[in-house]
Amino acid sequence: MRYSQLLLPTLKETPAEAEVVSHKLLLRAGFIRKITSGVYSYLPLGLAAVRKVERIVREEMNNAGAQEVLLPMVQPADLWIESGRWEKYGPELLRFKDRHQRESCLGPTHEEVITDLVRREVHSYRGLPLNLYQIQTKFRDEIRPRFGLMRGREFIMKDGYSFDASEAEAGKTYETMHYAYHRIFSRCGLKFRAVEADTGTIGGSFSHEFMVLADTGEDTLVICRKCTYAANMEKATAMEPAAPSEEVALLPLAKKETPGKRKVEAVTEFLGITPRELVKTMVYLADGKPVAVLVRGDHEVQPVKLKNLLGAIDVELADDKQVFDATGVPTGYLGPVGLTIPVVADREVARMRNFVVGANEKNFHCLNANLGRDFEVERVADLRMVTAEDRCPLCGAELELTRGIEVGHIFKLGTNYSEALNARFLDNEGQERPFIMGCYGIGVSRTVAAAIEQNHDKDGIIFPLPIAPFQVVLLNLSPNDEAITAAAEGLYTALAKEGIEVLLDDRDERPGSKFKDADLIGIPYRVTVGKSFAQEGLVEIRKRATGETVSLPLAQVAAELGARIRAELA
RNA sequence: CGGGGCGUAGCGCAGCCUGGUUAGCGCGCCUGCCUUGGGAGCAGGAGGUCGGAGGUUCGAAUCCUCUCGCCCCGACCA
C-alpha cells in the first residue's frame, strides 16, 4: 500500500475528548473517528488491526472445532420474553418497534438466537457436540460509554456457543475453549492472565475472564505470587481466617458517646483503636429490601458476593435516607445489636472478639460487642473484597492486586437457556434432555485497544507484530531523488515478494514528518531509504519496539526482514 | 439518573463576564518559492448558519428561555 493513496489522517494534537492512551493514540494515528457517543468508524488502519485479531480468532476457533455462523443483529422481543431476559436485561438492551409495531431489540449477545436455531435444527445426540461462533458488531446501550474502543456502545465481538449432551462433554468443551483462548491471546502478542470470575447477567455456573494486564485497566485482578490462583475482585477470596480464639475473655458490652464520629477513621481515632477492632454495618437494598452487612472496619463489602449469597437480582447500597427509613438510625451510628432488619456477616467478623459497633443511636457506639452474645446474624459468609494484605486461598502465599482489561470471557451456562427456551435433544437412550451449553466471548475491537494500552510509548503505538496493520513501513525520504526513489520502489516490490505486508511512505513530505508518523502508527519495522543509501548504498532497518537499528546493503534487506518476520510469527 | 463542564474553521483554543466595525490565534489545508535524516522557513490564499430554536435590544458569538449534542465525576464503603 502506498501512503499517498491511503486514508490515514494523523493528528499532531490530541482531540480533547480522549482520556486514556489507547483512545488518544487511535484518534491521533488515524485509526478511528467517533460518529456519536460510544460509536466509532474504523478507518483503513483501524480496520486492518481489527482484521488481524479476527483472523487469529478464526484460525484458533476453527482449529478447536468450532464453526462460524453469522446471526442477526436485529432480534424479535419474543425470544427475549421467552428466555425471561426482556424483563431482566435492563436499559442496556436497546429496544425499538418496527413499522408493524413489533417489539425488537439490537442484539447485545446472542444466546436466545443461537438456542432458537439449534432447537429447531438439532434433535439428536448424534448432532452433538456443536460449537458455533460468529464475529459481529454488538450493541449495548452503556450508561456511560468511555475510553474509545475500550467501552463503546457498539463494538466488534466474537461470541461462541457450545451445545453438549452431558456435563462431562460440556466440561471438555470448556477446557478446549480455555486452551483456544490462551492460544489466541498469546498469538496476539499480549501479556494476559485468565482469572476466575463471577457469571453476572449471562448466568451460568463457572467462568473465566481473560485479562490483558495494563495499569489503565478498569478491573482489578487478584493474582497469587506463588501458585496459579488468579481471580477478579468479584470472585476472589482470601485464605480462610483462623478459628476464633476461645481464650480471649468476653468483656461487658458498653455504650460510649462518640459525638459526631461517623466514619470509621474518625471513630477509631477518637477511641484510640485500629479499624481492625471495629465492625461496620452497611445497609444494602437487595431487590428493594434492606439487609445489613457486617464487615471489619478496614474491609469493604463486595456487592456481587452479597448478591449471590442472598440470591438477589440486584443489590445496591442504601443511601442515608433509605438507611434511616429502614432502621430509624442515622448513618454512621448503625450497629447489629438490636437491629430489626436482617443481618449477615463477613466470615472475618465471626472470629472477632470485643469489637466496636454503632449503638443505633446518634453520637453513640458500643464497645466490646460479640457475635452470639449480643446479637445474632442470619448468615456468615465471605462477603468482602480481598486486599493486598490477604493470603492466597490455595497456597497461603502473598497475593498481588493488579489491573487488567477484560478481553475474553468464557462461561459454563449449563441448561439455563436450553430450559428456558425448551431446547432439547434425544439422548442415546431415547430420553429427552436439555442441551448443556457454554458461551465464549472475545471483545475484538477492545483487544486492539488493550494491545495499545499495553504497548505504547511517548511517540505512539508499538504494535505486536501479529496484529499490526502493516509489518513494515518503508520510508522514501527523497521522493524527488531518482536514485533513492528507484531503490525504494524496488525494495517495495521485493518486500511484497517476500510476502511482507508493507506500507510505502511515498509522500512528498519532509523526513521528520515521516519518522513521526511511522512511530505514531506503530508499525513494527521501519525501513529507511535516504541519504545513507545515496552515499553508501545502505538501507536502515529499525525495530519500533526497541529502537535497535541496523544498516544493510539494499539487496539484503528483503531477505533479512522476511527471515525476521517469519521467525517472530512462528 | 444526579453533579460539573463544554459546543466559535478539519483539530486545539481565545473572544462572552462588561452587547457595538469586516469574529481572531496556533496547527492542518491550497498556491508559489525554498528546504529534505526527527512534525522547517517566507509570501499569498481558501475555509465560519459562533450547535439549534425562540426571546430581549436600535444592535446578540456575547444577555434570557427552551432544546440538541459531547465530555468529565458520581451512582460502592457511612
Side-chain angles (χ1 to χ4, degrees), chain A residues 277-337:
Chain A
E277 300 165 87
L278 177 145
V279 165
K280 59 185 177 185
T281 304
M282 310 295 300
V283 175
Y284 279 80
L285 297 178
D287 298 336
K289 291 185 193 133
V291 54
V293 185
L294 306 181
V295 292
R296 207 170 74 188
D298 57 334
H299 287 156
E300 306 295 347
V301 175
Q302 169 45 256
V304 171
K305 291 180 180 176
L306 177 64
K307 188 176 104 172
N308 291 340
L309 177 76
L310 300 174
I313 293 168
D314 180 55
V315 300
E316 63 178 327
L317 192 68
D319 64 27
D320 288 2
K321 181 175 182 304
Q322 290 164 331
V323 170
F324 191 83
D325 289 349
T327 64
V329 180
T331 57
Y333 305 101
L334 226 49
V337 182

Side-chain angles (χ1 to χ4, degrees), chain A residues 452-520:
Chain A
I452 295 171
E453 290 291 334
Q454 193 178 74
N455 302 285
H456 66 271
D457 63 15
K458 66 172 174 42
D459 294 315
I461 303 169
I462 306 172
F463 270 113
L465 186 65
I467 61 173
F470 289 95
Q471 295 165 338
V472 171
V473 57
L474 171 58
L475 306 187
N476 175 355
L477 288 194
S478 301
N480 298 319
D481 178 304
E482 257 178 54
I484 288 175
T485 298
E489 292 287 340
L491 186 51
Y492 180 48
T493 309
L495 288 167
K497 244 179 220 157
E498 272 298 314
I500 295 172
E501 298 158 1
V502 53
L503 173 64
L504 172 63
D505 192 343
D506 56 342
R507 294 174 301 166
D508 188 10
E509 291 284 342
R510 299 170 60 81
S513 302
K514 299 190 177 192
F515 290 133
K516 288 291 183 188
D517 279 333
D519 286 346
L520 180 59

